[in-house]
């Protein structure tokens, strides 16, 4: 008996101490969780009891050099539903279906979906969003949002780019300066119980969004409008495939206008234009057509520059001393290089002519001779020096690279054809930037749009640095004088503007494959010739009828200059 009592006493003591140790352990664990892990579990509780809805930041505006807003924002609404908070699903389904013009089945699937929050539609006009909010439907959330809006519609579409459904930048400046324009989104937080029903006494808390910064660009809306108008006129008159007009300041690389027609609607960028669309298209074909419609030929595409490239050949030869203005040449209408006959545009030839006259006449034999004097090695060195083998660095995405012969493959025939602008390809922006650098005193410029960023008065200069010297000031002056003669008395006379000294060069090149009768006509002009303040390049692709650059492209630049030169004198 005594032995049994002793055994039970030991059991009781053992159980007591075991319970005491267990209780002590649990107390220590609870203390650890409450003191040292409290923040962690508070965060988990917040996540369980909080519902969050994102607020888009207002995207920064894009503003031209005159202060006109080219890309702005409109207030819209996003309509969502919270499943656990809906008390009358049939009324919600019927109301949203009617007001948003959506099929009832579509709305029903989203309303009955068990999720923390389900978006019904975004980019809803504010007035409609306000009317839905006024219905006071439990579980229906109406949040204000922003949608990109372009006041000028199609104008400068291939420069500005557009935004996607989440307001993110797509293409061109909208994409390139996404970090500047986008801003930082905010949140709306509300507290719910374990079932997800909102606790009305807790209200809502907000983390306010930070709006994006404005982007100030060099583009001038007045010059852009007129350049686009001229491009559309000549496209229609010559039944051309497309027309590009590029206007920039040769002294610092600022681009004042860049029109590439046909353009597209920035406010409806995913709808094909009549020109781009066809009756039956697969999704893949439609996407390819959209990509073509969005392409900016000034930047994304290359072409054979033709005789406009003679400006580069002349600059290299004058700098190197391979030719002088008074050197004389014979043009019988062709020149033979390693058994290949290269014709001049004038079949009967120009006879005896100086280098200046050869440039005025755009004589191929003269420039072939000059190119051969330079030699492939020296000529190629100038390609590198002038920046022709790389990209310009323009602040718009998708810039194409020059397609040029390798140095080791540059034989006499290749050298001859390159000398007058054939057998290789460059982008229009590369040609414009290179010529700007050669006529501005000899310093390489980076073509660009962005000038300043910021909000209100707190603006920051983007700060484009002056490029390296690529040509002597003396050679630059001599080149300007020669190009003035081309417009004043030579093949570019249709680019002459009364009251102004204009320099420039015409070009006509046949597209590949040869013999198809498809040409590219162009004219590059600048003014005033003695101290260039503006440069313009007009390119007309596959014009019908007369296709010579001096006859169809030069008049476009003349009309452009007649209007913008007085304007630039007034505005600076």
């Amino acid at each position: 008996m005594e032995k049994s009592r002793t055994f039970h006493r030991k059991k009781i003591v053992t159980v007591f101490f075991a319970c005491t140790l267990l209780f002590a352990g649990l107390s220590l664990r609870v203390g650890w969780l409450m003191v040292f892990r409290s923040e962690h579990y508070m965060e988990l509780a917040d996540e369980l009891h909080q519902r969050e809805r994102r607020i888009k930041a207002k995207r920064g505006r894009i503003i031209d050099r005159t202060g006109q807003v080219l890309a702005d924002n409109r207030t819209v609404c996003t309509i969502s539903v919270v499943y656990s908070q809906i008390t009358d699903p049939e009324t919600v389904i019927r109301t949203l279906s009617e007001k948003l013009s959506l099929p009832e089945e579509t709305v029903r699937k989203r309303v009955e979906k068990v999720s923390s929050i389900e978006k019904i539609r975004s980019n809803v006009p504010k007035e409609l969003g306000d009317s839905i909010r006024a219905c006071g439907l439990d579980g229906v959330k109406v949040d204000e949002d922003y949608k990109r809006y372009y006041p000028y519609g199609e104008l400068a579409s291939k420069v500005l780019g557009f935004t996607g459904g989440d307001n993110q930048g797509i293409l061109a400046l909208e994409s390139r300066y996404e970090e500047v324009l986008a801003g930082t989104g905010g949140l709306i937080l509300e507290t719910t119980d374990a079932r997800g029903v909102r606790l009305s006494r807790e209200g809502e808390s907000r983390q306010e969004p930070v709006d994006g910064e404005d982007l100030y660009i060099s583009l001038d809306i007045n010059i852009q409008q007129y350049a686009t108008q001229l491009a559309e006129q000549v496209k229609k008159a010559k039944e051309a495939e497309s027309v590009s007009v590029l206007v920039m300041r040769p002294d610092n690389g600022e681009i004042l206008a860049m029109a590439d027609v046909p353009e597209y609607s920035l406010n409806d960028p995913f709808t094909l234009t009549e020109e781009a669309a066809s009756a039956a298209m697969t999704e893949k074909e439609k996407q390819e057509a959209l990509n073509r419609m969005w392409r900016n030929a000034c930047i994304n595409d290359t072409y054979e520059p033709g005789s406009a490239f003679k400006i580069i050949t002349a600059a290299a030869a004058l700098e190197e001393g391979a030719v002088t203005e008074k050197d004389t040449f014979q043009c019988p209408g062709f020149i033979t290089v390693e058994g290949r006959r290269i014709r001049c545009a004038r079949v009967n030839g120009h006879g005896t002519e100086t280098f200046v006259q050869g440039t005025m006449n755009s004589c191929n034999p003269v420039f072939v001779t000059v190119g051969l004097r330079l030699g492939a090695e020296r000529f190629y060195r100038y390609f590198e020096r002038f920046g022709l083998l790389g990209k310009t660095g323009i602040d718009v995405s998708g810039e194409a690279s020059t397609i040029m012969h390798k140095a080791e493959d540059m034989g006499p025939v290749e050298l001859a054809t390159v000398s007058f602008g054939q057998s290789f390809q460059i982008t229009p922006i590369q040609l414009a930037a290179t010529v700007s650098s050669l006529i501005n005193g000899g310093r390489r410029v980076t073509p660009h749009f962005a000038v300043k960023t910021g909000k209100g008065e707190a603006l920051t200069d983007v700060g484009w640095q002056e490029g390296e010297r690529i040509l002597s000031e003396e050679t630059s002056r001599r080149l300007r004088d020669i190009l003035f003669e081309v417009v004043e008395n030579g093949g570019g006379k249709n680019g002459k503007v009364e009251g102004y000294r204009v320099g420039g060069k015409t070009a006509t090149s046949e597209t590949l494959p040869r013999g198809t009768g498809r040409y590219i006509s162009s004219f590059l002009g600048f003014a005033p010739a003695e101290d260039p303040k503006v440069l313009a390049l007009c390119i007309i692709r596959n014009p019908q009828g007369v296709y010579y650059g001096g006859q169809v492209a030069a008049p476009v630049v003349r009309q452009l200059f007649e209007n913008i030169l007085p304007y630039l004198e007034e505005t600076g």
Side-chain angles (χ1 to χ4, degrees):
M1 191 72 173
E2 184 64 30
K3 193 173 184 180
S4 177
R5 282 199 296 270
T6 303
F7 174 72
H8 286 298
R9 193 181 300 120
K10 285 182 179 179
K11 280 176 63 178
I12 292 169
V13 170
T14 301
V15 171
F16 172 77
F17 278 109
C19 290
T20 301
L21 287 173
L22 180 60
F23 181 75
L26 289 172
S27 298
L28 289 172
R29 178 63 176 167
V30 170
W32 164 261
L33 294 176
M34 292 179 66
V35 176
F36 297 101
R37 297 286 288 165
S38 59
E39 290 187 6
H40 171 69
Y41 286 101
M42 284 178 66
E43 289 176 3
L44 290 179
D46 285 342
E47 289 180 10
L48 178 64
H49 292 285
Q50 282 190 337
R51 295 286 183 266
E52 64 178 41
R53 309 196 307 274
R54 298 192 176 276
I55 312 171
K56 288 181 186 175
K58 184 184 291 185
R59 197 170 174 83
R61 301 171 300 169
I62 300 178
I63 303 171
D64 88 325
R65 71 190 288 262
T66 70
Q68 293 298 309
V69 177
L70 306 181
D72 207 344
N73 302 285
R74 277 184 171 172
T75 302
V76 292
C77 294
T78 296
I79 313 298
S80 309
V81 292
V82 178
Y83 175 81
S84 60
Q85 297 176 9
I86 296 173
T87 56
D88 187 354
E90 291 304 320
T91 301
V92 169
I93 292 168
R94 185 175 62 256
T95 303
L96 294 184
S97 175
E98 289 175 359
K99 288 189 173 290
L100 297 176
S101 299
L102 290 172
E104 274 201 16
E105 281 306 307
T106 301
V107 178
R108 184 177 297 278
K109 286 180 182 178
R110 296 175 186 175
V111 168
E112 294 180 349
K113 184 176 180 181
V114 181
S115 62
S116 58
I117 188 166
E118 190 72 17
K119 184 188 293 183
I120 303 296
R121 174 167 281 183
S122 58
N123 293 329
V124 174
K126 187 176 183 303
E127 298 76 14
L128 180 54
D130 289 341
S131 73
I132 293 174
R133 186 188 288 113
C135 294
L137 299 171
D138 291 340
V140 176
K141 305 297 178 184
V142 181
D143 297 319
E144 288 195 357
D145 207 340
Y146 296 102
K147 180 183 180 181
R148 206 55 157 166
Y149 170 65
Y150 301 91
Y152 291 92
E154 294 186 358
L155 197 70
S157 61
K158 298 179 181 181
V159 171
L160 298 175
F162 53 92
T163 59
D166 291 329
N167 232 18
Q168 80 281 12
I170 299 177
L171 299 179
L173 293 176
E174 290 278 24
S175 172
R176 172 64 176 77
Y177 290 98
E178 173 70 10
E179 291 186 5
V180 172
L181 296 165
T184 304
L187 292 174
I188 298 175
L189 302 170
E190 62 181 23
T191 304
T192 68
D193 61 18
R195 295 171 298 166
V197 178
R198 179 184 170 189
L199 300 175
S200 57
R201 66 179 182 276
E202 296 293 335
E204 289 184 344
S205 62
R206 294 170 65 94
Q207 294 179 11
E208 295 297 336
V210 178
D211 294 341
E213 296 183 0
D214 291 336
L215 177 67
Y216 291 79
I217 63 175
S218 58
L219 188 138
D220 186 304
I221 192 65
N222 299 306
I223 298 176
Q224 179 72 27
Q225 286 177 321
Y226 196 62
T228 303
Q229 179 183 335
L230 288 172
E232 289 173 342
Q233 287 175 354
V234 74
K235 178 180 180 299
K236 182 178 180 180
K238 297 302 298 179
E239 299 178 352
E241 288 180 3
S242 64
V243 178
S244 299
V245 177
L246 170 61
V247 185
M248 66 184 288
R249 291 183 55 178
D251 57 336
N252 62 12
E254 290 183 358
I255 299 173
L256 301 174
M258 184 182 282
D260 184 44
V261 299
E263 305 258 359
Y264 61 90
S265 171
L266 287 168
N267 293 312
D268 189 16
F270 292 95
T271 297
L272 289 167
T273 60
E274 290 184 12
E275 238 174 312
S278 64
M281 295 180 103
T282 65
E283 282 302 312
K284 182 180 179 182
E285 289 171 338
K286 181 180 178 181
Q287 187 57 56
E288 290 173 350
L290 284 171
N291 291 335
R292 288 193 297 272
M293 183 179 76
W294 295 334
R295 287 183 73 83
N296 185 342
C298 293
I299 298 169
N300 306 139
D301 296 336
T302 58
Y303 78 115
E304 281 190 346
S307 294
F309 193 79
K310 291 171 181 174
I311 299 173
I312 284 91
T313 304
L318 289 168
E319 182 84 341
E320 195 66 17
V323 73
T324 69
E325 290 86 335
K326 294 182 179 179
D327 283 2
T328 58
F329 301 83
Q330 284 292 326
C331 171
F334 65 91
I335 186 171
T336 303
V337 179
E338 288 199 335
R340 177 176 171 179
R341 175 176 286 200
I342 298 172
R343 293 186 306 152
C344 183
R346 185 170 182 176
V347 179
N348 296 327
H350 295 101
T352 302
E353 55 189 342
T354 66
F355 179 65
V356 174
Q357 291 171 330
T359 307
M360 292 164 58
N361 296 328
S362 198
C363 181
N364 286 346
V366 167
F367 278 86
V368 169
T369 304
V370 170
L372 294 173
R373 284 185 188 178
L374 267 172
E377 185 178 343
R378 285 196 296 178
F379 208 166
Y380 210 83
R381 195 162 65 241
Y382 275 95
F383 293 155
E384 294 176 329
R385 182 172 170 179
F386 292 165
L388 287 163
L389 299 182
K391 298 180 181 181
T392 66
I394 187 173
D395 55 343
V396 175
S397 56
E399 181 181 6
S401 299
T402 298
I403 302 172
M404 181 67 77
H405 304 283
K406 293 181 179 179
E408 58 270 24
D409 297 333
M410 185 85 81
V413 173
E414 289 75 22
L415 177 59
T417 54
V418 167
S419 298
F420 59 88
Q422 286 188 7
S423 78
F424 71 99
Q425 295 189 7
I426 61 175
T427 60
I429 192 63
Q430 178 65 270
L431 178 65
T434 303
V435 174
S436 291
S437 306
L438 299 178
I439 63 171
N440 70 4
R443 287 200 174 273
R444 181 73 181 178
V445 296
T446 300
H448 61 273
F449 290 98
V451 177
K452 297 179 181 180
T453 62
K455 296 179 185 177
E457 300 300 319
L459 300 179
T460 303
D461 287 329
V462 175
W464 297 93
Q465 296 181 348
E466 185 179 52
E468 62 180 344
R469 177 166 294 284
I470 61 173
L471 195 72
S472 67
E473 289 189 14
E474 175 59 21
T475 301
S476 180
R477 181 194 62 77
R478 293 164 66 193
L479 183 65
R480 293 196 301 269
D481 290 343
I482 293 172
L483 296 175
F484 167 72
E485 290 297 329
V486 171
V487 174
E488 189 68 16
N489 300 303
K493 60 181 178 294
N494 286 328
K496 190 187 304 186
V497 178
E498 188 175 347
Y500 294 91
R501 288 169 56 86
V502 177
K505 186 72 188 71
T506 62
T508 308
S509 57
E510 189 175 11
T511 62
L512 297 174
R514 312 287 187 205
T516 60
R518 295 166 58 85
Y519 294 87
I520 296 177
S521 309
S522 62
F523 178 75
L524 185 150
F526 57 90
E530 63 279 7
D531 183 21
K533 301 298 182 186
V534 62
L535 175 144
L537 172 63
C538 173
I539 299 175
I540 305 170
R541 299 174 187 85
N542 195 28
Q544 303 304 300
V546 176
Y547 54 79
Y548 295 109
Q551 292 178 264
V552 297
V556 176
V557 174
R558 184 194 71 235
Q559 293 175 70
L560 180 73
F561 279 173
E562 285 173 346
N563 281 271
I564 71 170
L565 288 175
Y567 170 74
L568 288 173
E569 287 176 345
E570 292 177 8
T571 60

